[in-house]
Amino acid sequence: MRSALVFARKEAFEILRTWRVFVLPAILLLFALTGPLLAKYTPEILAAVAGNQFSSLKLPPPTVLDAYGQWIKNLGQIGIFALVIIYGGIVSGERRGGTAILVLTKPVSRVAFVVVKAIVNAVYLAVLLVAGTLVTWAVTAAVFGEAPGGALWSSALVWLVLAVFYLAVMTLFSVLIPSAAGAAGAGLGLFAVISVAGVWKPLADWSPAGLLGQATSLAAGAPTDGDAVLWSVLISLAVAVLAVLGAAGLFRRQEL
């Protein structure tokens, strides 16, 4: 346990010393700052740019829920895309750089090596999401004059489960595929498949395929099936745990 905690601290400091500490926070901060502004002023921007071309098009007045929906939409598309790219080499990068051998000569097991990396990065994603959601909340309140938090935070938590799922899957892919680019490609392929599969309601209600749609519905304040959301969350977390454990088991049998 002591060695695992030491490795967890090393992993946390490594995040702070590498480009990962800038990329994801920068992306989320951009979304958090611009989402409410786009939701508020898009009709005015269209009117100013297009002139009378859209005079017959009557857009509904923007609301707080539009800002929340913009936040989740950006997270569900570009956010997941960036996550998959960044974590394509979460394990293979350590092996290729020789860091894994140095760490594993210490009293850190291969299973702990994989599991701790996944946990530390999941916590990192949670911290970033909370910070970004707080910024969205504050900007929305400043722009719209109000910002009820229920829809925003419930949708953000559902997205966090989706992000943890993809992090776990990328950990598995990074063990299976030596190339970071290859693992990222497999992750993007899975993202495309899951996005299409989410259209089928029976699958969406019982798998990670439904999480993004459910998060979007929660952000929009639309009626949602609480049981479907709960089952999608629980099943996604279970699959994430199995993916990390599978990655750890495979890594234990591989040559460094």
Side-chain angles (χ1 to χ4, degrees):
M1 178 62 70
R2 181 181 178 84
S3 59
L5 291 175
V6 171
F7 177 61
R9 186 172 62 180
K10 170 262 178 192
E11 186 67 19
F13 278 115
E14 182 174 315
I15 291 174
L16 297 176
R17 289 196 299 263
T18 61
W19 56 275
R20 272 183 289 172
V21 75
F22 300 108
V23 176
L24 272 178
I27 292 173
L28 267 63
L29 180 61
L30 177 64
F31 293 160
L33 291 173
T34 60
L37 295 174
L38 286 174
K40 176 70 173 180
Y41 298 112
T42 292
E44 298 179 18
I45 294 172
L46 287 176
V49 172
N52 296 325
Q53 296 182 26
F54 294 110
S55 58
S56 61
L57 180 62
K58 300 298 182 182
L59 296 176
T63 67
V64 167
L65 296 178
D66 293 324
Y68 295 168
Q70 188 69 40
W71 169 240
I72 295 300
K73 177 183 176 182
N74 289 333
L75 289 179
Q77 296 175 356
I78 302 175
I80 294 296
F81 184 89
L83 188 152
V84 168
I85 297 297
I86 289 170
Y87 287 109
I90 185 172
V91 176
S92 61
E94 299 259 13
R95 294 173 63 184
R96 188 170 55 254
T99 309
I101 296 178
L102 294 176
V103 172
L104 293 173
T105 57
K106 311 294 183 182
V108 177
S109 69
R110 293 194 179 200
V111 171
F113 179 85
V114 174
V115 172
V116 169
K117 285 183 75 68
I119 292 174
V120 169
N121 282 279
V123 172
Y124 175 59
L125 289 176
V127 171
L128 291 183
L129 179 67
V130 170
T133 304
L134 284 173
V135 173
T136 297
W137 200 7
V139 175
T140 300
V143 171
F144 288 91
E146 61 173 345
L152 175 63
W153 287 100
S154 59
S155 60
L157 289 174
V158 172
W159 181 86
L160 177 60
V161 173
L162 181 64
V164 169
F165 164 78
Y166 275 105
L167 170 63
V169 171
M170 292 312 301
T171 302
L172 177 60
F173 285 165
S174 187
V175 172
L176 289 172
I177 305 172
S179 166
L188 293 176
L190 178 65
F191 175 66
V193 170
I194 287 180
S195 298
V196 174
V199 177
W200 189 35
K201 191 176 185 305
L203 185 61
D205 290 345
W206 295 88
S207 76
L211 288 176
L212 183 54
Q214 291 160 356
T216 303
S217 297
L218 288 169
T224 55
D225 185 342
D227 290 339
V229 175
L230 178 61
W231 278 111
S232 294
V233 166
L234 293 177
I235 291 172
S236 299
L237 291 175
V239 173
V241 171
L242 291 175
V244 172
L245 293 179
L250 290 170
F251 186 66
R252 186 173 56 181
R253 296 178 176 82
Q254 291 179 340
E255 294 184 4
L256 295 178

